[in-house]
């Protein structure tokens, strides 16, 4: 017999029939199908027997695959997951390419069962990354389909049954040491993007994510470090993969509050971050892992999209080991893993107001709005639940799975007792807004404290500070007003402290523009695309009006409890459903 197909199962009655039907439709017939079942309590075994499959005892994936291989009569072994489906001519195409390149072990590539542009792009990115990683070291997972010779399987003594996590990657690496490995180009395996893993399997997929991320930067992972228990006797609560970008320190600070809360509630967090977010969070928490980040190029207080793309992609794939993850802008890393590893996604961010709310903006921002909405749609899709931090509340398109929550603020912000000092606090997202600095210097009657230029110096009436939380708290507390871009975290902290805001958003940064539009609309300050002397004078004159509006209309929570409790309820709802 040419090939034996081995499928580990546990309660797969929903998915197994589609896989077995697709095998039956193949033009290649010199095969057998072996089901290694781990004591399913549904109709899995009954379905397998109705398709004339051999059924052997299963267990953990390594045990099931080895038990299947022991009774296999085929020269070649093909290991598949039960929730996959073979594309037309899959087996013939796989064997032909496998033998053409004289391989000892290989994996195929994946296609989503649920069609749609975003799903397809996500999976093609996963295929691309898997192929590129294979140039660094043999690497793969069982969900991609694994093909090898039975003789090689026996030579390496099969899957390591002492491993209850990562047995597929270990297996590939051991066989690749004595033969050749490749990610095949032609065959495609359909995989479900809908099934949620059962409680134990959620842990293994999160551990796989952690392992993969560390392998990308050349680090080894041990089972003791992973602490994996396959859901048996674990004393920990559910594990959560938390991913955030390094652009904007406010995002990291807000996430730090959430991370601390979830840890205190007993959740086991694995956090991925880049750049400034990684630096900030790794100084406060354990289990923070670095991934390459996406950096925006600014010139003259404007985003330069083309230069941003070139900057972030210039070293791919020539220095792929260090740069491949630059494609993971915003929370795309978590989003991609949720689809590929079939784990539920909860997204909590202010950015979702762009795509989940009904609002209107001037036509001159139409291009920037379309681009920003497309980015959010592309990088976060099919979240089970979406929570939107916001200080403005346009109607939502979907109130069943999406809701507003109050912004997350640092605890020290809540503890501050603001006063009305004699200076203006200036906070900048980038160092490119030199026109603003020149204008400030032309107003010697006003004093300015400026953050965002990463220096400590004084020039006339302008005091520059590099970032310091303690100093920023003090400067924030006593400022009479603030001048900033349109960053969400800084705006919401300013409103909490009752500080009027003059917002000059970074050009083409539509999320900042929208924040500023509503800031102006609500009477909490002003929105301008650029600043000049007349604008500055008018804003300063109206400070008392804006202070009064904030005091009377802005809802100031006393702490983060309501938002954090909603997040916990959302997590438990997703887990239990």
């Amino acid at each position: 017999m040419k090939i034996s197909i081995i499928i580990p199962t546990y309660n797969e009655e929903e998915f197994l029939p589609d896989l077995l039907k697709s095998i039956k439709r193949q033009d290649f017939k010199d095969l057998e199908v072996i089901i290694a079942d781990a004591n399913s309590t549904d109709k899995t075994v009954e379905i397998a027997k109705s398709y004339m499959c051999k059924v052997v005892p299963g267990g953990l994936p390594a045990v099931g695959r080895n038990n299947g291989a022991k009774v296999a009569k085929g020269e070649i072994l093909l290991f598949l997951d039960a929730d996959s489906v073979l594309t037309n001519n899959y087996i013939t195409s796989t064997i032909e390419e496998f033998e053409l390149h004289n391989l000892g072990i290989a994996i195929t590539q994946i296609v989503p069962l649920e069609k749609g542009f975003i799903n397809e792009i996500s999976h093609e990115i996963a295929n691309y990354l898997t192929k590129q990683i294979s140039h660094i070291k043999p690497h793969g997972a069982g969900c991609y389909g694994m093909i090898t010779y039975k003789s090689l399987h026996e030579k390496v003594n099969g899957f390591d049954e002492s491993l209850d996590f990562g047995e597929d990657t270990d297996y590939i690496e051991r066989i690749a040491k004595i033969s050749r490995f490749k990610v095949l180009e032609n065959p495609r395996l359909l995989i479900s993007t809908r099934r949620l893993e059962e409680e134990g399997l959620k842990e293994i997929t999160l551990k796989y994510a952690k392992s993969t991320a560390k392998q990308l930067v050349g680090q080894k992972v041990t089972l003791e470090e992973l602490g994996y228990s396959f859901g048996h006797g674990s004393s920990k609560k559910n594990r959560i993969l938390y991913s955030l970008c390094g652009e904007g320190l406010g995002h990291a600070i807000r996430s730090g509050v959430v991370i601390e809360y979830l840890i205190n509630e007993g959740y086991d967090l694995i956090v991925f971050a880049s750049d400034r977010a990684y630096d900030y969070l790794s100084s406060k928490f354990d289990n923070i892992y670095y991934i390459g980040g996406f950096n925006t190029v600014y010139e003259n207080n404007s985003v330069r999209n083309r230069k941003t793309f070139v900057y972030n992609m210039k070293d791919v794939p020539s220095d792929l080991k260090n740069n491949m993850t630059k494609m993971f802008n915003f929370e795309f890393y978590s989003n991609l893993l949720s689809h590929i590893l079939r784990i539920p996604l909860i997204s909590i961010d202010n950015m979702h107001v762009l795509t989940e709310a009904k609002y209107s903006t001037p036509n001159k921002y139409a291009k920037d709005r379309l681009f920003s909405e497309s980015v959010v749609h592309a990088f976060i899709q099919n979240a089970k639940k979406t929570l939107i931090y916001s200080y403005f509340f346009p109607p939502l398109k979907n109130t069943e799975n999406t809701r507003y929550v109050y912004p997350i603020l640092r605890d020290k912000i809540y503890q501050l007792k603001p006063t009305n000092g004699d200076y203006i606090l200036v906070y900048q997202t980038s160092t490119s807004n030199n026109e603003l600095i020149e204008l400030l210097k032309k107003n010697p009657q006003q004093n300015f404290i400026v953050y965002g230029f990463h220096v400590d110096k004084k020039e006339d009436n302008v005091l520059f500070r590099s970032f310091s939380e303690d100093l920023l708290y003090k400067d924030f507390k006593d400022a009479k007003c603030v001048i900033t871009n349109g960053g969400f975290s800084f705006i919401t902290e300013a409103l909490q402290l009752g500080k009027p805001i003059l917002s000059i958003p970074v050009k083409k940064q539509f999320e900042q523009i929208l924040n500023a539009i509503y800031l102006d609309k609500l009477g909490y300050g002003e929105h301008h695309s650029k600043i000049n002397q007349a604008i500055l004078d008018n804003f300063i004159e109206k400070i008392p009006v804006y202070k009064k509006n904030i005091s009377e209309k802005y809802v100031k929570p006393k702490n983060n409890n309501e938002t954090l409790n909603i997040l916990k309820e959302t997590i438990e709802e997703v887990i239990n459903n």
Side-chain angles (χ1 to χ4, degrees), residues 281-297:
L281 294 172
S282 62
S283 68
K284 297 178 177 294
F285 305 102
D286 296 325
N287 254 19
I288 311 295
Y289 295 90
Y290 183 84
I291 56 174
F294 184 96
N295 296 290
T296 305
V297 176

Side-chain angles (χ1 to χ4, degrees), residues 165-166 197-214 221 226 228 237-243 267-272 287 289 333-334 337-338 341-345 575:
F165 167 79
E197 301 287 0
E198 295 186 0
E199 192 65 30
L201 293 181
K202 288 177 183 174
E203 294 190 356
I204 193 173
T205 55
L206 289 176
K207 289 304 182 183
Y208 179 80
K210 178 178 176 180
S211 170
T212 302
K214 295 197 75 173
V221 184
L226 291 174
Y228 175 66
K237 279 194 173 185
N238 298 284
R239 289 180 170 89
I240 296 174
L241 171 65
Y242 192 110
S243 182
Y267 294 98
D268 183 19
L269 258 66
I270 300 167
V271 181
F272 296 93
N287 254 19
Y289 295 90
Y333 190 59
S334 288
L337 288 174
S338 77
L341 302 179
R342 300 181 294 281
I343 53 180
L345 173 68
I575 289 172

Side-chain angles (χ1 to χ4, degrees), residues 249 251-257 274-285 288 410 467 469 473:
L249 193 55
H251 192 44
I253 291 169
R254 190 166 66 236
S255 292
V257 175
S274 62
D275 302 319
R276 296 174 72 193
Y278 173 80
D279 293 338
Y280 177 81
L281 294 172
S282 62
S283 68
K284 297 178 177 294
F285 305 102
I288 311 295
R410 290 169 283 190
F467 181 78
E469 274 192 287
Y473 292 141

Side-chain angles (χ1 to χ4, degrees), residues 256-441:
V257 175
V258 175
I259 290 166
E260 183 176 16
Y261 170 78
L262 293 176
I263 291 173
N264 289 339
E265 288 296 310
Y267 294 98
D268 183 19
L269 258 66
I270 300 167
V271 181
F272 296 93
S274 62
D275 302 319
R276 296 174 72 193
Y278 173 80
D279 293 338
Y280 177 81
L281 294 172
S282 62
S283 68
K284 297 178 177 294
F285 305 102
D286 296 325
N287 254 19
I288 311 295
Y289 295 90
Y290 183 84
I291 56 174
F294 184 96
N295 296 290
T296 305
V297 176
Y298 299 95
E299 288 181 359
N300 299 321
N301 202 40
S302 176
V303 174
R304 298 304 182 193
N305 290 325
R306 181 174 296 181
K307 289 187 177 181
T308 294
F309 177 80
V310 171
Y311 175 82
N312 284 283
M313 302 308 291
K314 59 185 171 61
D315 295 323
V316 178
S318 60
D319 193 17
L320 186 71
K321 183 175 181 180
N322 295 319
N323 294 291
M324 67 170 65
T325 50
K326 286 181 178 177
M327 285 183 283
F328 296 135
N329 188 13
F330 301 104
E331 281 65 48
F332 184 50
Y333 190 59
S334 288
N335 178 69
L336 180 61
L337 288 174
S338 77
H339 292 303
I340 302 308
L341 302 179
R342 300 181 294 281
I343 53 180
L345 173 68
I346 298 172
S347 191
I348 177 168
D349 204 336
N350 62 294
M351 295 287 288
H352 294 298
V353 73
L354 302 181
T355 55
E356 302 300 324
K358 302 174 185 177
Y359 59 91
S360 60
T361 52
N363 290 335
K364 64 180 179 180
Y365 300 122
K367 185 176 179 180
D368 297 331
R369 174 176 175 171
L370 178 62
F371 177 79
S372 295
E373 288 179 351
S374 298
V375 169
V376 176
H377 272 305
F379 287 91
I380 299 291
Q381 341 89 29
N382 298 329
K384 299 296 289 184
K385 295 288 181 180
T386 299
L387 304 180
I388 306 175
Y389 299 123
S390 194
Y391 59 89
F392 56 94
F393 308 99
L396 293 173
K397 298 174 183 177
N398 170 19
T399 57
E400 182 178 353
N401 297 316
T402 305
R403 66 178 295 180
Y404 288 115
V405 292
Y406 289 126
I408 289 287
L409 306 180
R410 290 169 283 190
D411 288 338
K412 288 188 177 181
I413 293 292
Y414 287 116
Q415 296 165 9
L416 293 177
K417 299 185 183 305
T419 64
N420 189 26
D422 63 352
Y423 60 86
I424 296 173
L425 179 61
V426 181
Y427 194 96
Q428 293 292 287
T429 303
S430 75
T431 60
S432 67
N433 196 354
N434 294 314
E435 290 182 3
L436 171 63
I437 302 303
E438 292 305 313
L439 176 64
L440 302 183
K441 291 178 181 178

